[in-house]
Amino acid sequence: MSLSRRTLLLGGALALAGCTRQRVEAPPRLVLATGPDGAVFREIGSALAQVLAEKLPDTEVVAQPTGASVENLQLLAAGRADLALSSLDAIERPGSVRAVGRLYDSFMQIAVRKESSIESLKDLAGKRISLGPVGSGTEFTGRRLLQHLGEESALDERMGHAEASRRLAAGTLDALLALTGIPTDAVYDIKDQVRLINLQDEAVRLHREFLGPYIPATIPQSVYNPIPACHTFAVPNLLLAHESLSADVVEVVTRTVFTETARIVEGHPEASRINVRTGIATGEVPLHEGAMRWFREVKR
């Protein structure tokens, strides 16, 4: 029986955190596809894997490093991962992918040096820019942003955000794009040398033309002070599971994510936004049966 998202809207949901746990039959190995070194996906995924290993004591829970969203979806579809993290917009056709829940939102950030002549997206034409690691959400969304808005002539490269930050500071890169939580070290560590490009108009256009995954948003000045507040767009991040993964196991995963949040997101303010009220807002990606079961129980 399907479960409408409207019926899942919750009040006082975390009261279920102390409910009785029952032992479940879990596979001997559970692979969680995360992200590259230094990325929030990698760190949150590794922390989640550690907590899950406690909840599933007979299972080896592996946090697998990856390029992030696009690669994670490929691994999940191929059956080489059981769980994965991904930005919502990269999931163009859910197929066998199901949602465990919505976690936190990533913000598109385009950083340039203070003295740069780049003032808008159009000014990236012919400039050296980083689109993040191969297979990342930054690469997917950055290419969509440039292609869809007709700014495809930038000299784009693929690299981790940490490397892009170093190169931008050294002047060997003109701009870095990062679709990630805020603050991100890639910008914060060089905030006295850079500024952010305003994407207010682009955010509106993407929101209109791709209904669902793009949300006009603002990065407050307090995030990268003294960099002023910047208009941009945000993209929800989801925890995903293969549809064939046991509903009992996914129920444990869902419960763990939303009742052990403090342990999972420790030291990551951008991920502290994980909460059960927004957990069911997974767009066009249907909830896994195990996740529906847990949310349904929480509502009782």
Side-chain angles (χ1 to χ4, degrees), residues 14-298:
L14 291 179
L16 196 70
C19 68
T20 301
R21 271 65 165 170
Q22 60 180 11
R23 199 173 187 86
V24 302
E25 290 190 15
R29 193 168 189 264
L30 201 63
V31 176
L32 167 57
T34 62
D37 186 33
V40 177
F41 271 12
R42 173 82 170 273
E43 294 167 0
I44 294 298
S46 297
L48 174 57
Q50 290 177 9
V51 180
L52 281 176
E54 298 174 12
K55 309 297 181 182
L56 301 168
D58 298 326
T59 298
E60 178 191 10
V61 184
V62 178
Q64 180 170 324
T66 66
S69 296
V70 174
E71 183 179 351
N72 290 354
L73 291 168
Q74 294 170 345
L75 291 172
L76 202 60
R80 293 165 56 198
D82 307 287
L83 300 165
L85 294 160
S86 177
S87 57
L88 177 58
D89 64 333
I91 311 168
E92 298 185 279
R93 289 176 294 278
S96 59
V97 168
R98 297 293 180 266
V100 174
R102 175 176 173 171
L103 302 183
Y104 64 96
D105 295 351
S106 287
F107 290 69
M108 177 56 76
Q109 301 158 70
I110 302 182
V112 300
R113 292 181 61 85
K114 280 185 176 179
E115 68 273 16
S116 171
S117 62
I118 299 172
E119 299 290 344
S120 68
L121 189 73
K122 291 183 178 181
D123 295 331
L124 294 180
K127 297 295 193 294
R128 302 161 298 177
I129 69 172
S130 167
L131 282 183
V134 173
S136 66
T138 297
E139 179 187 43
F140 178 89
T141 308
R143 290 181 63 185
R144 171 173 282 183
L145 178 66
L146 295 173
Q147 292 171 358
H148 193 68
L149 301 180
E151 305 301 333
E152 300 181 61
S153 61
L155 306 176
D156 54 278
E157 300 182 48
R158 306 297 184 275
M159 66 189 77
H161 296 325
E163 180 184 354
S165 179
R166 290 191 294 270
R167 287 186 54 182
L168 183 61
T172 59
L173 193 69
D174 296 309
L176 73 81
L177 279 71
L179 180 69
T180 187
I182 55 174
T184 176
D185 289 345
V187 177
Y188 190 87
D189 290 347
I190 57 173
K191 61 189 179 76
D192 292 327
Q193 303 175 55
V194 301
R195 52 188 172 80
L196 295 175
I197 298 301
N198 190 304
L199 297 173
Q200 185 170 20
D201 292 342
E202 291 82 359
V204 172
R205 288 177 62 182
L206 287 174
H207 179 67
R208 288 175 178 170
E209 298 194 33
F210 296 93
L211 297 178
Y214 301 113
I215 309 162
T218 300
I219 300 174
Q221 179 170 345
S222 59
V223 173
Y224 296 121
N225 190 45
I227 299 177
C230 181
H231 297 294
T232 184
F233 59 90
V235 181
N237 294 309
L238 307 185
L239 176 61
L240 305 169
H242 195 280
E243 65 177 350
S244 64
L245 188 60
S246 160
D248 287 344
V249 172
V250 175
E251 183 177 5
V252 172
V253 174
T254 311
R255 179 188 301 119
T256 301
V257 168
F258 292 104
T259 64
E260 300 283 355
T261 306
R263 295 174 62 192
I264 295 168
V265 306
E266 185 176 2
H268 300 286
E270 68 276 33
S272 64
R273 298 176 180 85
I274 297 175
N275 72 84
V276 73
R277 291 182 179 276
T278 57
I280 59 173
T282 57
E284 298 301 315
V285 185
L287 286 167
H288 191 284
E289 178 187 352
M292 286 195 291
R293 183 192 298 171
W294 187 80
F295 284 118
R296 189 182 286 123
E297 287 295 322
V298 170

